[in-house]
Amino acid sequence: METVSTNKAFGGTQGVYKHASAVTGTEMTFSVYVPPHAEGAKLPVVWYLSGLTCTHANVTEKGEFRAACAELGLIFVAPDTSPRGEGVADDPEGAYDFGLGAGFYVNATEAPFATHYRMRDYIEQELPALIAAEFPADMERQSIMGHSMGGHGALTIGLRNTGRFKAISAFAPIVSPLNCPWGEKALSGYIGTDRAKWREYDACALIEDGARMPSGLLIDQGTADGFLENQLKPELLEAACRATWQPTTVRMQEGYDHSYYFISTFMAEHLAWHAERLKA
């Protein structure tokens, strides 16, 4: 692991790091905020997965999470959204919603994406091992959150790994890639046209198929979000959870859009919600 930069913030350290990933076959960059803590202490970890077009830098620079993490004693980890670099396949037409910056947190099986696009294994296996080795992280106390495509990632990774994560929340998540243009394009391109194979990457389908998060789900969604009706569809998640008795809170936030102005407004509330569920 190589340190790109470190800055003191709210008594802790905001760092940016990179490493050679064996999973993606590329160099990967991520950020970690470590709050002030007693020597030798192990701290709970909150994972934040970003949305389409983003890198680790979007939430690191705009998310306004450090004050809350310092107060609550939370490590905050922000990975990239896809592999990058020479030889990494991209959308042939240069679209923003597929390819670079749009890994959708899946393990691709279709050529040419299968070579590098293995973000599921990267987030579920490789990067957690690195965090455990290099930071004062209590890996028995982890939770996960995300925005938009990263909300989809947080929901699906969290629901597939309920023994690892104590809580899941999301800002404006893509709740059902099976039922929206973004998801249909990404999953067909990465996984192929057999929609049955998509279900492990769809939060609503996972819940319908038996996945449960006992501590509940917390979702914030802006009413002025331009992607609300065609891409995000929180009502599908509400229906799936209601039918299966999965505890879920969906808060429709009047007048908020899809931006980091929205995310930063409610970030501290989400982190406090996670901290409560991460208590030893």
Side-chain angles (χ1 to χ4, degrees):
M1 188 182 76
E2 179 182 339
T3 300
V4 177
S5 65
T6 58
N7 297 92
K8 187 170 183 178
F10 295 95
T13 300
Q14 176 64 65
V16 177
Y17 309 91
K18 61 183 179 180
H19 71 116
S21 168
V23 168
T24 67
T26 66
E27 185 174 83
M28 296 294 289
T29 303
F30 61 96
S31 76
V32 179
Y33 177 71
V34 178
H37 60 281
E39 184 176 354
K42 293 287 188 178
L43 306 175
V45 180
V46 177
W47 293 82
Y48 180 94
L49 305 185
S50 294
L52 290 167
T53 76
C54 292
T55 70
H56 71 282
N58 296 75
V59 69
T60 304
E61 297 169 3
K62 303 175 186 177
E64 300 185 24
F65 57 86
R66 280 172 286 269
C69 285
E71 179 182 350
L72 298 166
L74 301 173
I75 292 176
F76 190 95
V77 180
D80 203 346
T81 52
S82 77
R84 301 176 193 270
E86 186 176 352
V88 177
D90 195 8
D91 186 285
E93 298 179 358
Y96 75 93
D97 56 357
F98 187 72
L100 297 181
F104 260 80
Y105 304 100
V106 305
N107 281 347
T109 57
E110 296 292 298
F113 302 98
T115 303
H116 298 293
Y117 283 77
R118 303 191 63 79
M119 290 302 294
R120 173 179 176 175
D121 282 353
Y122 181 70
I123 300 298
E124 290 186 351
Q125 299 176 27
E126 187 176 38
L127 190 55
L130 186 61
I131 297 299
E134 299 288 344
F135 298 92
D138 181 353
M139 304 306 279
E140 297 299 313
R141 292 188 289 161
Q142 298 182 70
S143 67
I144 191 165
M145 65 193 302
H147 169 233
S148 194
M149 178 188 73
H152 141 77
L155 287 166
T156 55
I157 289 172
L159 287 167
R160 288 195 306 263
N161 296 276
T162 54
R164 178 186 304 179
F165 297 106
K166 308 301 183 186
I168 307 170
S169 77
F171 301 102
I174 302 169
V175 303
S176 184
L178 279 158
N179 293 289
C180 75
W182 279 341
E184 291 178 356
K185 178 178 181 178
L187 296 185
S188 62
Y190 293 136
I191 309 298
T193 56
D194 183 356
R195 293 173 67 91
K197 295 180 179 178
W198 299 7
R199 293 186 68 83
E200 62 185 316
Y201 296 113
D202 185 294
C204 295
L206 285 167
I207 291 168
E208 291 167 0
D209 293 345
R212 297 290 183 271
M213 174 52 67
S215 64
L217 308 175
L218 174 63
I219 310 296
D220 271 321
Q221 171 65 61
T223 62
D225 190 323
F227 302 115
L228 176 57
E229 293 185 8
N230 291 331
Q231 303 284 8
L232 306 178
K233 304 182 179 182
E235 68 277 4
L236 298 181
L237 182 66
E238 287 187 285
C241 292
R242 189 164 52 246
T244 57
W245 299 93
Q246 165 61 53
T248 301
T249 300
V250 177
R251 307 191 303 186
M252 300 302 295
Q253 303 292 0
E254 186 66 31
Y256 284 91
D257 59 17
H258 202 68
S259 73
Y260 270 87
Y261 294 108
F262 159 58
I263 296 166
S264 62
T265 299
F266 300 101
M267 177 65 82
E269 291 183 25
H270 277 241
L271 290 170
W273 185 85
H274 281 265
E276 182 66 27
R277 287 152 182 78
L278 289 167
K279 288 181 178 178

